Amino acid sequence: MSCKAGQRHHPIRLRQPRLTEDLPGSGRPAFPLNVCLNPPDLSAWRNPASGISGVMIFESGRSGPEVVISGMVHGNEYAGGHALDRLRKTLPVPEVGRVTLILANLEAFDRFDRSAPMASRYREEDLNRLWHPSRLNNDEQSCELARARELRPFIERADLLLDLHSTLWPSHPLFIVPPRRRSSDLACALASEAGSPTLVLTDLGHHGGSRLIEHARFMAVGGTGRSCLLEAGLHWEPETVDVMEKVSRRFLAEALNVHIQGIAQDKTQPARLAVVTDNVTAKSGEFSFVQPWVGNTCIPRAGTVIARDGHDAICTPYDDCLLIVPNLRPKQGQLAVRLARRTASSP
Ligand SMILES: [Zn+2]
């Protein structure tokens, strides 16, 4: 099924009469709430030597890169807790510099309930929307703002940040970086190893506020801080922990090279760069995809109908369009999917 978007880029939303019989495979799938991974035992993180709950520091005593790996910025994404706890138990003292592991939202994690596993993403507000100076520096108060301000010193000194996340809906793993060449170079270095996610996505930011990877340390023009976010797989699947651990170890092994040289040492497979071009938001409560797309699916032809939203048909605006982390049950006003175009070089 296609609509006549042709080669034009915008708009992608075409108004059409609603023809329910013309909707193969349409409908909103049930939330995938199977919890196949038990919450981790994080007792070792409650009163660590750093003096700050959830923060573990591995210090070489010699100058070198400040490396930070964060997980559980969203409290119910506890695959990141498993991955960082594995690292904690096995991480050697770095030869140079300092490695800081951060479990960011333990308070939300502590409220995890497997009968309502989405409810503990945060307590009062999304911790991954608070990292702009206008939020960090104002006089508002919330659990998450207090935690962001507590963690801020570790972020402000980070040369390299890897932020571990997972997804509710199925998606092939990918890296997301802020629109800075130095960060996409970092992600390409991580993506160059066989078995790692190969898609490196630069996006438009998040309309709800700045994410951790968009802290000024990583956004400053002419700055040096590099950041990337890993979407490692489904929230509550053991395989997601394995992807996070593998990428984290690669990140630690590559950190010094990337910090000094800015490039990967070898490239066993080419990373695929892509840039988000469109955020598709559900205008109605009836938004439904024509099929349950898996994240990172590539739609070959421009004009292919991917979803319906009330009387609108949502079409791909160009050939080889990537569907990034589709939300298969968006509420009205929520982000339903991001569309991305492959590119040969970083913006
Ligand atoms: Zn997340």
Side-chain angles (χ1 to χ4, degrees):
M1 181 169 39
S2 67
C3 52
K4 293 176 182 171
Q7 293 304 307
R8 64 187 165 177
H9 185 176
H10 297 289
I12 56 169
R13 186 180 286 269
L14 300 182
R15 194 159 181 83
Q16 292 189 338
R18 182 92 189 234
L19 299 172
T20 51
E21 66 275 17
D22 190 30
L23 296 176
S26 69
R28 289 159 65 92
F31 283 114
L33 300 180
N34 289 342
V35 177
C36 302
L37 180 71
N38 289 325
D41 173 6
L42 300 176
S43 51
W45 296 77
R46 302 295 171 170
N47 292 294
S50 70
I52 297 176
S53 174
V55 177
M56 297 263 190
I57 299 172
F58 299 79
E59 179 93 54
S60 72
R62 300 166 63 189
S63 66
E66 292 276 356
V67 180
V68 176
I69 307 178
S70 52
M72 283 181 14
V73 168
H74 295 129
N76 62 347
E77 297 179 15
Y78 57 67
H82 281 286
L84 289 193
D85 201 50
R86 287 186 193 171
L87 287 180
R88 171 188 72 81
K89 292 172 180 167
T90 56
L91 202 63
V93 174
E95 292 182 15
V96 294
R98 179 162 45 191
V99 174
T100 302
L101 306 182
I102 298 174
L103 292 180
N105 204 338
L106 284 168
E107 286 199 32
F109 164 76
D110 288 341
R111 286 160 175 74
F112 182 79
D113 175 354
R114 71 170 54 231
S115 69
M118 288 160 64
S120 50
R121 181 174 168 87
Y122 54 80
R123 284 192 61 196
E124 294 178 325
E125 60 179 325
D126 191 327
L127 179 55
N128 213 23
R129 306 285 182 265
L130 305 179
W131 296 92
H132 192 273
S134 64
R135 296 299 312 277
L136 291 169
N137 296 334
N138 69 19
D139 57 5
E140 293 174 70
Q141 302 295 331
S142 72
C143 294
E144 276 78 14
L145 268 170
R147 182 60 167 164
R149 289 165 183 151
E150 185 175 47
L151 297 177
R152 176 164 47 174
F154 302 102
I155 304 306
E156 287 177 339
R157 75 186 189 197
D159 294 308
L160 299 150
L161 169 77
L162 173 64
D163 189 24
L164 305 174
H165 287 258
S166 51
T167 58
L168 177 65
W169 299 99
S171 175
H172 300 296
L174 76 158
F175 294 103
I176 299 175
V177 295
R180 295 290 177 270
R181 172 69 185 268
R182 60 186 191 264
S183 286
S184 55
D185 282 350
L186 165 64
C188 286
L190 301 179
S192 66
E193 185 177 76
S196 292
T198 55
L199 183 64
V200 174
L201 184 76
T202 302
D203 70 9
L204 305 171
H206 201 288
H207 66 286
S210 293
R211 295 167 298 186
L212 179 55
I213 57 169
E214 291 149 354
H215 182 277
R217 175 73 180 152
F218 313 114
M219 291 297 284
V221 174
T224 57
R226 302 166 190 262
S227 63
C228 75
L229 183 157
L230 172 67
E231 294 284 14
L234 286 166
H235 287 335
W236 308 298
E237 293 285 344
E239 293 77 14
T240 304
V241 182
D242 296 337
V243 172
M244 288 176 167
E245 183 183 10
K246 180 183 174 73
V247 172
S248 295
R249 292 190 186 282
R250 171 80 173 174
F251 176 70
L252 292 169
E254 280 289 304
L256 194 58
N257 292 330
V258 171
H259 184 60
I260 294 171
Q261 304 170 22
I263 54 169
Q265 281 200 313
D266 62 336
K267 284 193 178 289
T268 51
Q269 64 174 350
R272 291 180 302 156
L273 290 162
V275 178
V276 171
T277 58
D278 299 89
N279 288 332
V280 179
T281 300
K283 288 189 174 173
S284 77
E286 305 167 48
F287 188 107
S288 65
F289 287 95
V290 298
Q291 62 174 275
W293 305 106
V294 172
N296 298 4
T297 293
C298 182
I299 306 296
R301 289 189 53 228
T304 304
V305 176
I306 57 168
R308 303 271 182 180
D309 189 5
H311 291 293
D312 292 347
I314 310 297
C315 308
T316 51
Y318 41 79
D319 289 345
D320 296 325
C321 179
L322 293 165
L323 309 184
I324 304 300
V325 193
N327 173 0
L328 301 186
R329 287 185 66 96
K331 293 179 186 165
Q332 189 171 17
Q334 275 189 336
L335 185 63
V337 66
R338 289 170 280 173
L339 306 181
R341 189 203 293 268
R342 291 211 173 104
T343 175
S345 60
S346 307

